[in-house]
Amino acid sequence: MPRYLWQVTYSPEGAKGLLTEGGTARRDAITQMVESVGGTVESCYFALGGRDLFVIGDVPDDVAAAALGIRTTASGAARSESVVLLTPEQVDDAVRRDAQYRAPGS
């Protein structure tokens, strides 16, 4: 199952909701959402800086990941950016594959 890193930024309305329900309730809601598309959450961390929340988990495919992102953004409470994560073994497979490439200008 593909693994993703979701980087979440709350809108002012989302931050107000977080103030109301707290971090553990939000984590539980996120876990329920990911499970609703057949996935699992490995970790969920709130953060300081440019992003408010980082979630790592698995979902069956890119369509499931897109469904999560669309629902999150449509709520108006947050915006989520999905990043596909690769294991070291997957990178090993990638570097063994022959891909024709020509550098610009050569």
Side-chain angles (χ1 to χ4, degrees):
M1 204 176 313
R3 179 160 290 198
Y4 294 85
L5 164 67
W6 291 284
Q7 302 174 76
V8 181
T9 305
Y10 284 112
S11 68
E13 295 80 20
K16 288 176 189 173
L18 185 60
L19 282 172
T20 300
E21 70 178 26
T24 54
R26 192 71 237 139
R27 180 198 56 211
D28 294 346
I30 291 164
T31 299
Q32 184 178 20
M33 179 177 71
V34 172
E35 289 175 349
S36 76
V37 297
T40 59
V41 171
E42 176 187 303
S43 60
C44 181
Y45 290 96
F46 291 89
L48 304 175
R51 304 276 193 229
D52 300 312
L53 177 69
F54 293 90
V55 179
I56 295 177
D58 301 322
V59 293
D61 51 38
D62 290 339
V63 175
L68 298 175
I70 292 166
R71 296 286 180 192
T72 299
T73 300
S75 75
R79 185 176 181 288
S80 176
E81 182 180 336
S82 302
V83 177
V84 179
L85 301 176
L86 300 173
T87 65
E89 293 79 13
Q90 288 171 309
V91 172
D92 289 347
D93 289 345
V95 300
R96 284 192 289 267
R97 291 190 188 192
D98 187 28
Q100 299 299 315
Y101 175 74
R102 182 186 62 78
S106 35

